[in-house]
Amino acid sequence: MPKLGDEYEELRKTVEAFARDVVAPVIGDFYEREEFPYDIVRQMGAMGLFGLPIPEEHGGMGGDYFALCLALEELARVDSSVAITLEAAVSLGAMPIYRFGTDAQRAEWLPRLAAGEALGAFGLTEPGGGSDVPGGMRTTAVLDGGEWVINGSKAFITNSGTDITGVVGVAAITGRRADGRPEISTILVPSGTPGFTVSKKYSKVGWNASDTRELSFSDCRVPSANLLGERGRGYAQFLQTLDEGRVAIAALSVGLAQGCVDECLRYVRERQAFGHPIGHYQAIQFKIADMETRTHTARLAYYHAAERMLAGEPFKKEAAIAKLVSSNAAMDNARDATQIFGGYGFMNEYPVGRFYRDAKILEIGEGTSEVQRMLIARELGLSDL
Ligand SMILES: Cc1cc2nc3c(=O)[nH]c(=O)nc-3n(C[C@H](O)[C@H](O)[C@H](O)COP(=O)(O)OP(=O)(O)OC[C@H]3O[C@@H](n4cnc5c(N)ncnc54)[C@H](O)[C@@H]3O)c2cc1C
C-alpha cells in the first residue's frame, strides 16, 4: 500500500474521527426514519469536505480528487448515506460546473457548493434508461426568445430535493446531429424554477438517509446563459464526469468493505459459541481473511486509478476496474459480515445490516457492473470485433 503523504493522512484521520464521533452515534436513527441528516451535512460543510477538490479562488480547499476519495472512504466505513451525499454533491454537482462552466456560472455556484451551503445534483438517468443514456433520453431543451424551454423527466437523482439543493445539471436533447444521433447538452436548472417539479422521495432498499427523487420538467424556462460549456458537449461532459465519479464510488465502496472488517474484528472477540469467542473458529477467521483481502486489493485499485487521473494519464479502464472490484468487495464483505453477526446481523441496531442494504446499489449506480465490463472490454479493443 503506498504510504499517504502527511496532508492526506491528516485529512484521513480528521474524517475518521468525525465519522466515529459525530456520524456513528446518530446515523442509524436517521436511516430508520429515512431522514436527511442536515446537521451532519452542515458540519461536513464547515470542515471543508464539499470543497476538497475545488481551488481556493472558488471557495474550495484547493486539494485534489484523491483527497475527496479518502474522505469518502472514511465516511463510508461508518455510513454510506452521508458518503453518497458528499460524492454526488461534489463529483456530480460541483465538479462539472468547475470543469465546464463559464466564469459567471463558477462565480454564481461554486462558493456555496464548496461550502456545503447549497447541494448540487446531476440529472442524467431517465425513467427509460440509465445504461444506454442517448438511447433512453427523452428530455428536450429548445431555445426560445433567449431561454431554454425544458420538457421531460429524470429518475433516481441524488440530492435533488433537499431544503438546501441549489442546482441540478440536466442533460437534455438540444437537437439532431448530421448523422441523426441526438445532440446532448447540459443545462443548469436552479431549484424552485417554475415548471421544475421534484417528486416525493423514493422508498429505497438502502442509502435511506440520502435524498433521491424523480424530477419532471414542464415548459421549464431558464436563461440561455445556463447552458453548461458548449452546446452539444453534454455527452462528452458526462462521460468525463462519470469516469471520475467511478473512482469516487470505488473509494466509497472500499469504505463500506472496510467497515465490515472493522465491525467483525470487534464482534468475533466478544461473541461466544461452544465455549470460545467465535473468532476462535477457522471458518470465521477465513471469512475475515477474505474480507481483508478484498478490501486491500480494491483499495489498491482505486489508489492506482486516482494516481493516473491526477497525473493526467488515461484512466478510463483503471476507473472501471476499480469500481467493479470494489463494489464486488463491498457486496461480498457485507454478506459475510452479516453472516458472522448471525441474527444480530439482521437487526437494525448493528451497522452491518445497514451495510448489507447499502452495498447492492454500488453494483448499479454510476454505471452497473455490466457497464464496467463493457468499458474494460472496449478499452482492450474488443468492441470492434
Ligand atoms: C439510489 C440511486 C441513486 C442514483 N443517483 C443518480 C444521480 O444522482 N444521477 C443520475 O443521473 N442517475 C442516478 N442514478 C441512476 C443510476 O446511475 C442508474 O440506475 C444506473 O446507471 C442503471 O441504469 P438503469 O437503472 O436505467 O438500468 P438499465 O440501464 O435499465 O439496466 C438494467 C440491467 O440491464 C443491464 N444492461 C443494460 N445494457 C446492457 C448491455 N448492453 N449488456 C449487458 N447488460 C446490460 C444493466 O447492467 C442492468 O443490470 C441513481 C440510482 C439509484 C438507484
Side-chain angles (χ1 to χ4, degrees):
M1 185 73 57
K3 190 170 168 345
L4 292 179
D6 289 347
E7 279 191 44
Y8 287 134
E9 181 56 20
E10 202 178 310
L11 169 74
R12 193 200 64 71
K13 277 193 184 147
T14 305
V15 182
E16 179 184 35
F18 174 79
R20 185 189 57 230
D21 300 339
V22 177
V23 180
V26 297
I27 198 64
D29 289 341
F30 280 99
Y31 197 89
E32 275 200 58
R33 294 196 301 268
E34 302 193 1
E35 189 181 324
F36 190 79
Y38 284 101
D39 191 50
I40 292 177
V41 170
R42 185 191 57 73
Q43 292 184 60
M44 286 159 58
M47 289 167 72
L49 301 189
F50 289 90
L52 277 174
I54 296 173
E56 289 172 20
E57 63 183 291
H58 299 300
M61 299 292 281
D64 58 31
Y65 210 86
F66 184 58
L68 173 69
C69 289
L70 290 176
L72 291 170
E73 183 185 335
E74 289 304 328
L75 288 173
R77 265 174 91 174
V78 166
D79 178 66
S80 290
S81 294
V82 245
I84 191 60
T85 299
L86 177 65
E87 194 275 340
V90 180
S91 157
L92 303 181
M95 288 308 274
I97 296 178
Y98 168 55
R99 291 224 189 284
F100 314 119
T102 61
D103 287 346
Q105 289 164 347
R106 288 169 158 196
E108 180 177 3
W109 292 111
L110 289 181
R112 278 190 291 153
L113 296 177
E117 291 163 12
L119 294 180
F122 184 48
L124 180 62
T125 307
E126 301 206 357
S131 303
D132 174 15
V133 169
M137 191 173 290
R138 299 289 174 269
T139 299
T140 57
V142 177
L143 265 182
D144 176 54
E147 293 179 321
W148 290 104
V149 184
I150 307 170
N151 281 287
S153 56
K154 296 285 169 185
F156 314 132
I157 307 306
T158 306
N159 285 347
S160 56
T162 71
D163 295 350
I164 54 171
T165 299
V167 63
V168 184
V170 176
I173 297 175
T174 47
R176 288 273 150 203
R177 298 185 182 281
D179 61 6
R181 286 184 301 139
E183 175 198 89
I184 297 173
S185 308
T186 310
I187 296 167
L188 298 177
V189 181
S191 297
T193 304
F196 168 28
T197 313
V198 179
S199 74
K200 71 180 180 59
K201 283 195 298 187
Y202 291 97
S203 166
K204 303 191 293 271
V205 170
W207 283 359
N208 283 338
S210 76
D211 181 81
T212 321
R213 316 257 182 166
E214 185 165 329
L215 313 179
S216 67
F217 301 89
S218 174
D219 288 333
C220 170
R221 302 180 86 94
V222 295
S224 59
N226 284 25
L227 177 71
L228 186 72
E230 283 171 51
R231 179 171 177 164
R233 294 291 296 163
Y235 191 58
Q237 288 169 354
F238 70 68
L239 289 184
Q240 185 178 338
T241 300
L242 291 179
D243 280 343
E244 293 181 357
R246 280 173 191 135
V247 184
I249 291 288
L252 196 157
S253 305
V254 168
L256 191 152
Q258 180 66 54
C260 293
V261 175
D262 297 343
E263 290 297 319
C264 286
L265 284 176
R266 191 179 47 70
Y267 189 73
V268 301
R269 288 185 167 84
E270 292 167 5
R271 183 68 174 172
Q272 300 276 329
F274 301 98
H276 292 284
I278 59 172
H280 167 82
Y281 301 107
Q282 202 176 47
I284 299 279
Q285 292 177 7
F286 278 14
K287 265 201 178 59
I288 296 178
D290 285 346
M291 289 163 67
E292 173 73 5
T293 304
R294 292 181 201 119
T295 309
H296 180 79
T297 48
R299 185 176 290 117
L300 287 176
Y302 103 69
Y303 274 31
H304 182 231
E307 190 182 19
R308 289 182 67 90
M309 181 206 298
L310 293 187
E313 293 166 3
F315 68 99
K316 188 181 277 295
K317 185 180 74 176
E318 289 75 14
I321 290 172
K323 205 243 169 196
L324 184 61
V325 167
S326 12
S327 55
N328 280 343
M331 192 67 201
D332 290 346
N333 281 15
R335 188 195 56 238
D336 283 353
T338 305
Q339 189 68 17
I340 286 173
F341 269 67
Y344 290 109
F346 205 61
M347 298 296 123
N348 280 328
E349 67 183 287
Y350 288 92
V352 291
R354 186 154 36 87
F355 293 162
Y356 188 75
R357 290 162 66 182
D358 289 342
K360 183 61 206 168
I361 179 61
L362 299 168
E363 297 184 321
I364 298 170
E366 294 196 32
T368 64
S369 295
E370 291 76 15
V371 166
Q372 306 313 316
R373 291 186 175 94
M374 282 159 60
L375 290 169
I376 296 163
R378 194 178 299 155
E379 289 294 305
L380 293 172
L382 295 174
S383 56
D384 299 332
L385 294 179

